[in-house]
Amino acid sequence: MKTVYIGSDIGTSSVKTVIYDKNFKQIDKISQKYSLISNQKNQAELDPDEVYNSVIKTLETVIQKCNNSNFKVEFISFSSALHSMIIVDENNQPLTNCLTWADTRAKDISGDFKAFYKNNSVYSRTGCPYHSIYLPAKILWFKQNKTDIFNQAEKFISIKEFIIYKLTKKYSIDYSVASGSGLLNINNKKWDNKLLSFLGIGKSQLSRLVDIYKTYKIKNTELLKGISLVVGGGDGPLANLGERALAENQFAATLGTSGAIRVFSDKPVIDAENQSIWCYLLDENTYLPGGAINNGGIVLEWIKKNFFESADDYYKLIDQYIDEVPTGSKDLFFLPFLTGERSPNWNPDARGIIFGLDYNHSKKELIKAAIEGISYRMRTIKEALEADSSTCNEIILNGGATQSKPWMQLLADIFNARVIVHENEEAVALGAAMIGAIALGIYDDYNSIEFNHKKRIVLEPDKKSAKKYNQLYKFHKKLYDNNQHLFVEANSV
Ligand SMILES: O=C(O)[C@H](O)[C@@H](O)[C@H](O)[C@H](O)CO
């Protein structure tokens, strides 16, 4: 009987459940989309029951397939997007939808929280810069704006806790997802007391902290009952694991709707002065400093929606324009802050700028300038990370951008580093499956996993283009810096 592992990646717009053989080779994958609810400004929510039903549907389909093929399922291991929050009442019923990382309502919280954050070194303890994406701001928003819900809150949980609760009747949160909440002290691995008392919530309102290897038996549904469920971790940390970017100078990057660059470290890495990077956890002993941009492929989707609605071959056109338009898009610059900024400046007021437009520019230059702008922002993260960890000459890339070879070459040139893409496309689900194999005692730790990672693409930077991009990048940064005060002023004109 063939033994198989299952990794399930609960993302922001879909769940992907993947079957692996015991050498972590993908056998099959089932995905199910769900809809992001965004009827009001700053809202980006998911319906928790819709997500749960989608997860169950993919799991049952996969288990049925395994049963039909006479495969022995060792475990199901989970991953989820970070920074999500659902408030549940004393009967374990959701009082809210699931606020995702993209929900920005909490940028409008009032009062002295920012000063508290600064004066109490919250960043140094939690590894999370002051920002509305994290749970402290989200919780405060409810306290200030929906007091009735805040008062009825029995627990503040993430989407993964919600699903695991439904499957096991246990509220547990792993250190990885907990570290992305902004409520965990990453040094002593405990909920941060000072922060909790400022917010006016108790430890009992948060789940029990468990390690990512914690295993339960599934209690419900005929097909899933009795299968080992491994709690697993957050998508960013598991992407690095799935990419096997294990060394301190190996950065793994994701570039999809948003983007991130991260690296494993055996100690906390923080930038106390500028707070340019975050530091999350994979497990109790592995730290994950990194940075994330809000504006990746979302910028290209915005251009499509507004200017290329009927272009079925939009992404092909993008590739063509990257090739046709010269480096630097004929001096056109696009600061891509369509949804504010996360790393490295965490500026919620940052706005998009198209600079240098003249009569000879066309949509081709506009698109290439957007691609260059997104890529420059990724470079700002690489640099912030290098300033606090090690220099990196090789970046392992995953996410939607890996569909475009011209974009990847442009990234290699802007990073002035080798870009590698592996054959396996589902790094996060793969990382979750690796955690499951450790949890079940098949491997001692993630270093000892034997894995033949095949490379699909290896791109070296082109020297001439890298040199040119170096100059252009400096100008891009200047454009950003010189407009800082105008971003703020624009709020009150
Ligand atoms: O490491 C990462 O990829 C980022 O830090 C996260 O903030 C993700 O964007 C989030 O989990 C949504 O996928």
Short mmCIF file of all heavy atoms in Angstrom, two decimals, residues 133-187:
data_model
loop_
_atom_site.label_atom_id
_atom_site.label_comp_id
_atom_site.label_asym_id
_atom_site.label_seq_id
_atom_site.Cartn_x
_atom_site.Cartn_y
_atom_site.Cartn_z
N ILE A 133 -2.25 45.81 9.90
CA ILE A 133 -2.41 44.41 9.48
C ILE A 133 -2.45 43.46 10.67
O ILE A 133 -3.07 42.40 10.62
CB ILE A 133 -1.26 44.03 8.51
CG1 ILE A 133 -1.63 42.82 7.67
CG2 ILE A 133 0.04 43.80 9.22
CD1 ILE A 133 -0.66 42.56 6.53
N TYR A 134 -1.80 43.86 11.78
CA TYR A 134 -1.65 42.95 12.93
C TYR A 134 -2.87 43.01 13.85
O TYR A 134 -3.63 43.99 13.85
CB TYR A 134 -0.36 43.28 13.68
CG TYR A 134 0.87 43.07 12.82
CD1 TYR A 134 1.67 44.15 12.43
CD2 TYR A 134 1.20 41.80 12.36
CE1 TYR A 134 2.78 43.96 11.62
CE2 TYR A 134 2.31 41.60 11.55
CZ TYR A 134 3.10 42.69 11.18
OH TYR A 134 4.18 42.49 10.36
N LEU A 135 -3.00 41.97 14.67
CA LEU A 135 -4.21 41.85 15.50
C LEU A 135 -4.40 42.93 16.56
O LEU A 135 -5.54 43.30 16.84
CB LEU A 135 -4.29 40.45 16.13
CG LEU A 135 -5.16 39.48 15.32
CD1 LEU A 135 -4.62 39.29 13.92
CD2 LEU A 135 -5.33 38.15 16.02
N PRO A 136 -3.33 43.46 17.19
CA PRO A 136 -3.59 44.51 18.18
C PRO A 136 -4.43 45.64 17.59
O PRO A 136 -5.41 46.08 18.21
CB PRO A 136 -2.18 44.99 18.56
CG PRO A 136 -1.32 43.81 18.32
CD PRO A 136 -1.91 43.10 17.14
N ALA A 137 -4.09 46.09 16.39
CA ALA A 137 -4.86 47.19 15.78
C ALA A 137 -6.26 46.72 15.42
O ALA A 137 -7.25 47.45 15.62
CB ALA A 137 -4.13 47.69 14.54
N LYS A 138 -6.37 45.49 14.92
CA LYS A 138 -7.70 44.98 14.54
C LYS A 138 -8.60 44.88 15.79
O LYS A 138 -9.77 45.25 15.76
CB LYS A 138 -7.58 43.61 13.87
CG LYS A 138 -7.08 43.71 12.41
CD LYS A 138 -6.88 42.35 11.78
CE LYS A 138 -6.70 42.46 10.27
NZ LYS A 138 -5.74 41.55 9.70
N ILE A 139 -8.03 44.37 16.88
CA ILE A 139 -8.82 44.23 18.12
C ILE A 139 -9.24 45.61 18.63
O ILE A 139 -10.40 45.84 19.00
CB ILE A 139 -8.00 43.46 19.19
CG1 ILE A 139 -7.81 42.01 18.74
CG2 ILE A 139 -8.68 43.51 20.56
CD1 ILE A 139 -6.87 41.17 19.61
N LEU A 140 -8.30 46.55 18.61
CA LEU A 140 -8.62 47.91 19.08
C LEU A 140 -9.72 48.54 18.24
O LEU A 140 -10.57 49.27 18.75
CB LEU A 140 -7.38 48.79 19.00
CG LEU A 140 -6.57 48.98 20.25
CD1 LEU A 140 -5.49 50.03 20.03
CD2 LEU A 140 -7.44 49.40 21.44
N TRP A 141 -9.68 48.26 16.94
CA TRP A 141 -10.72 48.81 16.06
C TRP A 141 -12.09 48.36 16.53
O TRP A 141 -13.04 49.15 16.62
CB TRP A 141 -10.48 48.39 14.60
CG TRP A 141 -11.43 49.09 13.66
CD1 TRP A 141 -11.25 50.28 13.04
CD2 TRP A 141 -12.75 48.64 13.29
NE1 TRP A 141 -12.36 50.61 12.29
CE2 TRP A 141 -13.30 49.62 12.42
CE3 TRP A 141 -13.52 47.51 13.59
CZ2 TRP A 141 -14.57 49.51 11.85
CZ3 TRP A 141 -14.79 47.41 13.04
CH2 TRP A 141 -15.31 48.40 12.18
N PHE A 142 -12.22 47.07 16.89
CA PHE A 142 -13.52 46.57 17.36
C PHE A 142 -13.87 47.20 18.70
O PHE A 142 -15.01 47.57 18.94
CB PHE A 142 -13.52 45.04 17.45
CG PHE A 142 -13.88 44.42 16.13
CD1 PHE A 142 -12.89 44.07 15.21
CD2 PHE A 142 -15.21 44.25 15.77
CE1 PHE A 142 -13.23 43.55 13.97
CE2 PHE A 142 -15.55 43.73 14.52
CZ PHE A 142 -14.56 43.38 13.62
N LYS A 143 -12.85 47.35 19.55
CA LYS A 143 -13.12 47.95 20.86
C LYS A 143 -13.66 49.37 20.69
O LYS A 143 -14.58 49.79 21.40
CB LYS A 143 -11.80 47.97 21.66
CG LYS A 143 -11.99 48.26 23.12
CD LYS A 143 -10.68 48.11 23.85
CE LYS A 143 -10.86 48.46 25.30
NZ LYS A 143 -9.60 48.39 26.02
N GLN A 144 -13.11 50.09 19.72
CA GLN A 144 -13.50 51.49 19.54
C GLN A 144 -14.77 51.66 18.68
O GLN A 144 -15.53 52.59 18.88
CB GLN A 144 -12.36 52.27 18.88
CG GLN A 144 -11.15 52.41 19.78
CD GLN A 144 -9.97 53.08 19.08
OE1 GLN A 144 -10.01 53.38 17.89
NE2 GLN A 144 -8.90 53.27 19.82
N ASN A 145 -14.96 50.74 17.73
CA ASN A 145 -16.05 50.95 16.77
C ASN A 145 -17.22 49.98 16.87
O ASN A 145 -18.30 50.28 16.40
CB ASN A 145 -15.50 50.90 15.34
CG ASN A 145 -14.50 52.00 15.09
OD1 ASN A 145 -14.87 53.15 14.92
ND2 ASN A 145 -13.22 51.66 15.13
N LYS A 146 -16.99 48.81 17.41
CA LYS A 146 -18.07 47.81 17.54
C LYS A 146 -17.99 47.25 18.95
O LYS A 146 -17.67 46.06 19.15
CB LYS A 146 -17.88 46.67 16.52
CG LYS A 146 -17.91 47.08 15.08
CD LYS A 146 -19.31 47.01 14.50
CE LYS A 146 -19.28 47.47 13.06
NZ LYS A 146 -20.52 47.88 12.53
N THR A 147 -18.27 48.11 19.91
CA THR A 147 -18.07 47.75 21.31
C THR A 147 -18.91 46.54 21.71
O THR A 147 -18.46 45.69 22.49
CB THR A 147 -18.45 48.95 22.21
OG1 THR A 147 -17.93 50.11 21.56
CG2 THR A 147 -17.84 48.86 23.58
N ASP A 148 -20.13 46.43 21.15
CA ASP A 148 -20.97 45.29 21.51
C ASP A 148 -20.30 43.96 21.13
O ASP A 148 -20.31 43.01 21.91
CB ASP A 148 -22.35 45.42 20.83
CG ASP A 148 -22.23 45.70 19.34
OD1 ASP A 148 -21.23 46.34 18.92
OD2 ASP A 148 -23.10 45.26 18.58
N ILE A 149 -19.67 43.93 19.96
CA ILE A 149 -18.99 42.69 19.53
C ILE A 149 -17.76 42.45 20.41
O ILE A 149 -17.53 41.34 20.88
CB ILE A 149 -18.58 42.79 18.03
CG1 ILE A 149 -19.85 42.82 17.17
CG2 ILE A 149 -17.67 41.64 17.63
CD1 ILE A 149 -19.60 42.83 15.69
N PHE A 150 -17.02 43.52 20.66
CA PHE A 150 -15.82 43.38 21.51
C PHE A 150 -16.22 42.82 22.88
O PHE A 150 -15.57 41.93 23.41
CB PHE A 150 -15.13 44.75 21.66
CG PHE A 150 -13.92 44.70 22.54
CD1 PHE A 150 -12.69 44.28 22.05
CD2 PHE A 150 -14.00 45.05 23.89
CE1 PHE A 150 -11.57 44.22 22.86
CE2 PHE A 150 -12.89 44.99 24.71
CZ PHE A 150 -11.66 44.57 24.20
N ASN A 151 -17.33 43.32 23.43
CA ASN A 151 -17.75 42.87 24.76
C ASN A 151 -18.23 41.42 24.79
O ASN A 151 -18.17 40.78 25.82
CB ASN A 151 -18.86 43.78 25.31
CG ASN A 151 -18.29 45.14 25.67
OD1 ASN A 151 -17.09 45.28 25.91
ND2 ASN A 151 -19.14 46.16 25.69
N GLN A 152 -18.70 40.95 23.65
CA GLN A 152 -19.18 39.55 23.62
C GLN A 152 -18.06 38.57 23.22
O GLN A 152 -18.30 37.37 23.13
CB GLN A 152 -20.25 39.40 22.56
CG GLN A 152 -21.60 40.01 22.88
CD GLN A 152 -22.49 39.82 21.65
OE1 GLN A 152 -22.86 38.72 21.28
NE2 GLN A 152 -22.81 40.92 20.99
N ALA A 153 -16.87 39.12 22.93
CA ALA A 153 -15.80 38.27 22.37
C ALA A 153 -15.31 37.25 23.40
O ALA A 153 -14.76 37.61 24.43
CB ALA A 153 -14.64 39.14 21.91
N GLU A 154 -15.53 35.99 23.08
CA GLU A 154 -14.99 34.94 23.94
C GLU A 154 -13.54 34.66 23.51
O GLU A 154 -12.68 34.44 24.33
CB GLU A 154 -15.86 33.68 23.78
CG GLU A 154 -15.47 32.50 24.63
CD GLU A 154 -15.78 32.70 26.12
OE1 GLU A 154 -16.52 33.65 26.45
OE2 GLU A 154 -15.26 31.92 26.94
N LYS A 155 -13.34 34.69 22.18
CA LYS A 155 -12.00 34.43 21.65
C LYS A 155 -11.74 35.21 20.37
O LYS A 155 -12.65 35.51 19.60
CB LYS A 155 -11.84 32.94 21.35
CG LYS A 155 -11.47 32.12 22.59
CD LYS A 155 -10.78 30.83 22.23
CE LYS A 155 -9.95 30.25 23.35
NZ LYS A 155 -10.55 30.24 24.66
N PHE A 156 -10.45 35.54 20.18
CA PHE A 156 -9.97 36.13 18.93
C PHE A 156 -9.12 35.04 18.27
O PHE A 156 -8.10 34.65 18.83
CB PHE A 156 -9.12 37.37 19.21
CG PHE A 156 -9.87 38.45 19.96
CD1 PHE A 156 -9.87 38.48 21.35
CD2 PHE A 156 -10.58 39.42 19.27
CE1 PHE A 156 -10.57 39.47 22.03
CE2 PHE A 156 -11.28 40.41 19.95
CZ PHE A 156 -11.27 40.44 21.34
N ILE A 157 -9.56 34.55 17.11
CA ILE A 157 -8.85 33.42 16.50
C ILE A 157 -8.56 33.69 15.02
O ILE A 157 -9.16 34.56 14.41
CB ILE A 157 -9.65 32.10 16.63
CG1 ILE A 157 -11.04 32.26 15.98
CG2 ILE A 157 -9.77 31.68 18.09
CD1 ILE A 157 -11.82 30.95 15.90
N SER A 158 -7.66 32.87 14.48
CA SER A 158 -7.35 32.98 13.04
C SER A 158 -8.21 31.96 12.29
O SER A 158 -8.85 31.09 12.89
CB SER A 158 -5.88 32.65 12.81
OG SER A 158 -5.67 31.26 13.04
N ILE A 159 -8.18 32.04 10.98
CA ILE A 159 -8.99 31.11 10.17
C ILE A 159 -8.55 29.66 10.40
O ILE A 159 -9.38 28.75 10.42
CB ILE A 159 -8.93 31.50 8.66
CG1 ILE A 159 -9.94 30.70 7.84
CG2 ILE A 159 -7.54 31.34 8.08
CD1 ILE A 159 -11.37 31.04 8.07
N LYS A 160 -7.26 29.44 10.63
CA LYS A 160 -6.80 28.05 10.84
C LYS A 160 -7.32 27.51 12.17
O LYS A 160 -7.74 26.36 12.27
CB LYS A 160 -5.27 27.98 10.76
CG LYS A 160 -4.74 26.55 10.80
CD LYS A 160 -3.46 26.35 10.03
CE LYS A 160 -2.24 26.94 10.69
NZ LYS A 160 -1.87 26.25 11.93
N GLU A 161 -7.33 28.37 13.20
CA GLU A 161 -7.87 27.93 14.49
C GLU A 161 -9.35 27.58 14.36
O GLU A 161 -9.84 26.63 14.96
CB GLU A 161 -7.70 29.03 15.54
CG GLU A 161 -6.27 29.23 15.98
CD GLU A 161 -6.06 30.63 16.53
OE1 GLU A 161 -6.36 30.85 17.71
OE2 GLU A 161 -5.61 31.49 15.76
N PHE A 162 -10.05 28.38 13.56
CA PHE A 162 -11.49 28.15 13.35
C PHE A 162 -11.71 26.76 12.74
O PHE A 162 -12.54 25.98 13.21
CB PHE A 162 -12.04 29.25 12.42
CG PHE A 162 -13.49 29.14 12.11
CD1 PHE A 162 -14.45 29.53 13.03
CD2 PHE A 162 -13.92 28.64 10.88
CE1 PHE A 162 -15.81 29.42 12.74
CE2 PHE A 162 -15.27 28.54 10.58
CZ PHE A 162 -16.22 28.93 11.51
N ILE A 163 -10.93 26.46 11.71
CA ILE A 163 -11.10 25.18 11.02
C ILE A 163 -10.66 24.01 11.92
O ILE A 163 -11.35 23.00 12.03
CB ILE A 163 -10.33 25.22 9.68
CG1 ILE A 163 -11.14 26.12 8.73
CG2 ILE A 163 -10.15 23.82 9.09
CD1 ILE A 163 -10.39 26.60 7.55
N ILE A 164 -9.53 24.20 12.60
CA ILE A 164 -9.05 23.11 13.46
C ILE A 164 -10.04 22.89 14.62
O ILE A 164 -10.31 21.75 15.01
CB ILE A 164 -7.60 23.39 13.95
CG1 ILE A 164 -6.67 23.29 12.73
CG2 ILE A 164 -7.18 22.40 15.04
CD1 ILE A 164 -5.21 23.53 13.01
N TYR A 165 -10.62 23.97 15.13
CA TYR A 165 -11.61 23.81 16.20
C TYR A 165 -12.77 22.95 15.70
O TYR A 165 -13.24 22.03 16.36
CB TYR A 165 -12.13 25.17 16.71
CG TYR A 165 -13.20 24.97 17.74
CD1 TYR A 165 -12.86 24.65 19.06
CD2 TYR A 165 -14.55 25.00 17.39
CE1 TYR A 165 -13.84 24.40 20.00
CE2 TYR A 165 -15.54 24.74 18.33
CZ TYR A 165 -15.17 24.44 19.63
OH TYR A 165 -16.15 24.17 20.56
N LYS A 166 -13.23 23.26 14.49
CA LYS A 166 -14.38 22.52 13.96
C LYS A 166 -14.05 21.04 13.75
O LYS A 166 -14.91 20.19 13.85
CB LYS A 166 -14.83 23.13 12.64
CG LYS A 166 -15.55 24.45 12.83
CD LYS A 166 -16.48 24.70 11.67
CE LYS A 166 -17.63 25.56 12.07
NZ LYS A 166 -18.85 25.34 11.41
N LEU A 167 -12.79 20.76 13.47
CA LEU A 167 -12.41 19.37 13.19
C LEU A 167 -12.02 18.59 14.45
O LEU A 167 -12.03 17.36 14.44
CB LEU A 167 -11.23 19.33 12.20
CG LEU A 167 -11.56 19.75 10.76
CD1 LEU A 167 -10.29 19.90 9.94
CD2 LEU A 167 -12.48 18.73 10.11
N THR A 168 -11.64 19.32 15.52
CA THR A 168 -11.11 18.60 16.69
C THR A 168 -11.74 19.03 18.01
O THR A 168 -11.47 18.43 19.04
CB THR A 168 -9.58 18.86 16.83
OG1 THR A 168 -9.40 20.26 17.11
CG2 THR A 168 -8.81 18.49 15.59
N LYS A 169 -12.49 20.13 17.98
CA LYS A 169 -13.06 20.75 19.19
C LYS A 169 -11.98 21.29 20.14
O LYS A 169 -12.15 21.39 21.35
CB LYS A 169 -13.98 19.76 19.96
CG LYS A 169 -15.22 19.37 19.17
CD LYS A 169 -16.25 20.50 19.16
CE LYS A 169 -17.35 20.31 18.14
NZ LYS A 169 -17.17 20.98 16.86
N LYS A 170 -10.81 21.61 19.58
CA LYS A 170 -9.73 22.20 20.40
C LYS A 170 -9.33 23.54 19.79
O LYS A 170 -9.17 23.65 18.58
CB LYS A 170 -8.49 21.29 20.36
CG LYS A 170 -8.70 19.91 20.88
CD LYS A 170 -7.99 19.78 22.20
CE LYS A 170 -8.11 18.48 22.92
NZ LYS A 170 -8.85 17.39 22.40
N TYR A 171 -9.16 24.55 20.67
CA TYR A 171 -8.64 25.83 20.19
C TYR A 171 -7.13 25.82 20.38
O TYR A 171 -6.64 25.94 21.51
CB TYR A 171 -9.24 26.99 21.00
CG TYR A 171 -10.60 27.42 20.51
CD1 TYR A 171 -11.71 27.39 21.35
CD2 TYR A 171 -10.76 27.90 19.21
CE1 TYR A 171 -12.95 27.80 20.90
CE2 TYR A 171 -12.01 28.31 18.76
CZ TYR A 171 -13.10 28.25 19.60
OH TYR A 171 -14.32 28.67 19.14
N SER A 172 -6.36 25.65 19.31
CA SER A 172 -4.91 25.72 19.44
C SER A 172 -4.35 26.59 18.33
O SER A 172 -4.81 26.54 17.20
CB SER A 172 -4.23 24.37 19.33
OG SER A 172 -5.10 23.35 19.36
N ILE A 173 -3.32 27.33 18.70
CA ILE A 173 -2.63 28.16 17.70
C ILE A 173 -1.15 27.81 17.74
O ILE A 173 -0.56 27.68 18.81
CB ILE A 173 -2.88 29.67 17.95
CG1 ILE A 173 -2.20 30.51 16.85
CG2 ILE A 173 -2.41 30.12 19.32
CD1 ILE A 173 -2.63 31.96 16.82
N ASP A 174 -0.57 27.62 16.55
CA ASP A 174 0.86 27.29 16.49
C ASP A 174 1.70 28.56 16.62
O ASP A 174 1.20 29.66 16.37
CB ASP A 174 1.16 26.58 15.17
CG ASP A 174 0.86 27.50 14.01
OD1 ASP A 174 -0.30 27.54 13.55
OD2 ASP A 174 1.76 28.23 13.59
N TYR A 175 2.97 28.38 16.98
CA TYR A 175 3.86 29.54 17.18
C TYR A 175 4.04 30.36 15.90
O TYR A 175 4.26 31.56 15.96
CB TYR A 175 5.22 29.08 17.71
CG TYR A 175 5.13 28.61 19.13
CD1 TYR A 175 5.14 27.25 19.44
CD2 TYR A 175 5.01 29.52 20.17
CE1 TYR A 175 5.03 26.82 20.75
CE2 TYR A 175 4.88 29.10 21.48
CZ TYR A 175 4.90 27.75 21.77
OH TYR A 175 4.77 27.34 23.06
N SER A 176 3.94 29.69 14.77
CA SER A 176 4.15 30.39 13.51
C SER A 176 3.01 31.38 13.23
O SER A 176 3.26 32.59 13.03
CB SER A 176 4.27 29.32 12.41
OG SER A 176 4.32 29.89 11.16
N VAL A 177 1.78 30.91 13.24
CA VAL A 177 0.65 31.81 13.00
C VAL A 177 0.56 32.84 14.14
O VAL A 177 0.30 34.03 13.91
CB VAL A 177 -0.68 31.02 12.85
CG1 VAL A 177 -1.88 31.95 12.87
CG2 VAL A 177 -0.66 30.23 11.55
N ALA A 178 0.85 32.39 15.38
CA ALA A 178 0.80 33.31 16.52
C ALA A 178 1.80 34.45 16.34
O ALA A 178 1.50 35.61 16.64
CB ALA A 178 1.08 32.56 17.81
N SER A 179 2.98 34.14 15.78
CA SER A 179 4.00 35.19 15.63
C SER A 179 3.57 36.24 14.60
O SER A 179 3.98 37.38 14.68
CB SER A 179 5.34 34.57 15.21
OG SER A 179 5.26 34.06 13.90
N GLY A 180 2.70 35.83 13.66
CA GLY A 180 2.22 36.79 12.67
C GLY A 180 1.04 37.60 13.17
O GLY A 180 0.54 38.47 12.47
N SER A 181 0.57 37.30 14.39
CA SER A 181 -0.57 38.05 14.93
C SER A 181 -0.13 39.39 15.50
O SER A 181 -0.91 40.32 15.60
CB SER A 181 -1.28 37.25 16.02
OG SER A 181 -0.51 37.25 17.22
N GLY A 182 1.15 39.46 15.92
CA GLY A 182 1.61 40.69 16.58
C GLY A 182 1.32 40.68 18.07
O GLY A 182 1.57 41.67 18.76
N LEU A 183 0.81 39.57 18.60
CA LEU A 183 0.47 39.50 20.03
C LEU A 183 1.45 38.62 20.80
O LEU A 183 1.37 38.52 22.02
CB LEU A 183 -0.94 38.91 20.21
CG LEU A 183 -2.12 39.75 19.73
CD1 LEU A 183 -3.37 38.89 19.61
CD2 LEU A 183 -2.36 40.91 20.68
N LEU A 184 2.37 37.96 20.09
CA LEU A 184 3.26 37.00 20.73
C LEU A 184 4.63 37.62 21.00
O LEU A 184 5.19 38.29 20.13
CB LEU A 184 3.44 35.78 19.82
CG LEU A 184 4.24 34.63 20.42
CD1 LEU A 184 3.36 33.79 21.36
CD2 LEU A 184 4.85 33.73 19.35
N ASN A 185 5.14 37.38 22.19
CA ASN A 185 6.52 37.76 22.49
C ASN A 185 7.41 36.67 21.88
O ASN A 185 7.38 35.52 22.32
CB ASN A 185 6.69 37.84 24.01
CG ASN A 185 8.09 38.25 24.42
OD1 ASN A 185 9.06 37.91 23.74
ND2 ASN A 185 8.19 38.96 25.52
N ILE A 186 8.17 37.03 20.84
CA ILE A 186 8.93 35.99 20.13
C ILE A 186 10.18 35.56 20.90
O ILE A 186 10.84 34.60 20.53
CB ILE A 186 9.32 36.41 18.69
CG1 ILE A 186 10.12 37.72 18.68
CG2 ILE A 186 8.10 36.50 17.79
CD1 ILE A 186 10.80 38.01 17.36
N ASN A 187 10.50 36.28 21.96
CA ASN A 187 11.67 35.90 22.76
C ASN A 187 11.32 34.78 23.75
O ASN A 187 11.99 33.77 23.82
CB ASN A 187 12.25 37.11 23.49
CG ASN A 187 12.61 38.20 22.49
OD1 ASN A 187 13.32 37.94 21.52
ND2 ASN A 187 12.09 39.41 22.69
#
